[in-house]
Amino acid sequence: MIRGDSSDYELLDKWTKNFDCNGYKTCEIGVREGLGSKIIMDNVVNNYIHVGVDPYGNLEYQHYDNTGAYTCDYTDEMRDTMLKDFLPYRNQGKFTLCNMTDTQFMNDSEHRHSKFAFVHFDGPHMTKDVMTEAIWFANRSVNGTRFVFDDYTKYRMPMIAQVLSLYGFEVKDQGTNKCVMEKVK
Ligand SMILES: C[S@@+](CC[C@H](N)C(=O)[O-])C[C@H]1O[C@@H](n2cnc3c(N)ncnc32)[C@H](O)[C@@H]1O
């Protein structure tokens, strides 16, 4: 059973349904058990591959701007279950896991030379982390690229949206938990 830990998955469903990736990649930062990635992979069309980025390892880290550091349930056992659940997608070449942090991914990954059609931001929820990710992916976006931010009320989303407007992104939809932006120019 592939579960999620948030809400507004119907928003993710709506903005990925038959979304044409034009051969570019999709990505989810923060995979956990995999519901976000499953929705993306099941819905988009013409996707090169979906990249999940998650270190697992039950890391202790600061989750929000105003909290201390603590661990959750993001264990390596959870990763192994997710990998088993995603075996059909992996066998079809639709999914690859970058078992690393967002920072490692942005610095080291082979994917740094790629373009992305769709990104779900659901890893660290501190403003500085989401901002860094957003700019990194904005520099690897194309016309029509969609970004979905989970838990957007927990960080300084207006500031992130303002920076992304410089890259041609506009807010397209908002739920209680997720905010959708699209590159329109
Ligand atoms: C809120 S959960 C993701 C939920 C998932 N997207 C879903 O829809 O069910 C957050 C995930 O972010 C991962 N994470 C924590 N720090 C991270 C980092 N620096 N880079 C990438 N992922 C990170 C955690 O291991 C955890 O699996």
Side-chain angles (χ1 to χ4, degrees):
M1 167 90 172
I2 300 172
R3 292 173 304 188
D5 70 344
S6 187
S7 63
D8 280 352
Y9 284 100
E10 65 288 348
L11 216 73
L12 192 59
D13 189 59
K14 174 180 160 191
W15 287 92
T16 51
K17 190 67 89 190
N18 296 321
F19 177 61
D20 190 347
C21 296
N22 289 309
Y24 297 114
K25 296 177 180 179
T26 58
C27 182
E28 181 176 55
I29 304 285
V31 180
R32 198 173 178 271
E33 290 186 74
L35 184 59
S37 284
K38 177 175 163 37
I39 291 172
I40 296 165
M41 289 188 287
D42 287 346
N43 280 349
V44 301
V45 296
N46 203 5
N47 180 19
Y48 183 72
I49 196 167
H50 179 70
V51 185
V53 180
D54 201 312
Y56 293 94
N58 216 13
L59 299 181
E60 178 169 321
Y61 65 96
Q62 185 174 350
H63 291 248
Y64 302 105
D65 288 342
N66 302 318
T67 62
Y70 56 91
T71 58
C72 278
D73 61 349
Y74 312 139
T75 61
D76 286 345
E77 290 69 38
M78 179 178 275
R79 173 199 60 204
D80 296 343
T81 304
M82 180 278 294
L83 286 173
K84 224 176 283 167
D85 289 338
F86 278 0
L87 207 54
Y89 298 93
R90 292 162 61 210
N91 286 342
Q92 291 171 51
K94 283 184 161 190
F95 177 80
T96 184
L97 174 68
C98 289
N99 192 185
M100 58 182 75
T101 66
D102 55 344
T103 307
Q104 290 165 329
F105 175 78
M106 291 183 283
N107 285 335
D108 302 332
S109 153
E110 64 183 270
H111 302 284
R112 63 189 298 176
H113 301 299
S114 303
K115 297 278 189 207
F116 292 84
F118 189 94
V119 185
H120 187 208
F121 297 88
D122 198 8
H125 285 356
M126 288 177 64
T127 303
K128 70 175 176 57
D129 297 320
V130 182
M131 179 71 91
T132 305
E133 294 167 357
I135 293 171
W136 192 91
F137 280 104
N139 279 313
R140 288 156 182 82
S141 63
V142 294
N143 208 10
T145 289
R146 289 177 180 170
F147 286 170
V148 174
F149 296 88
D150 187 65
D151 268 341
Y152 74 98
T153 58
K154 300 271 175 57
Y155 43 85
R156 294 165 74 179
M157 189 66 214
M159 194 164 71
I160 293 168
Q162 202 177 0
V163 170
L164 284 177
S165 73
L166 304 174
Y167 291 84
F169 283 80
E170 271 178 10
V171 173
K172 287 289 181 184
D173 206 351
Q174 284 180 336
T176 48
N177 249 320
K178 293 195 196 294
C179 173
V180 181
M181 296 190 75
E182 185 175 284
K183 185 171 166 78
V184 294
K185 55 182 185 253

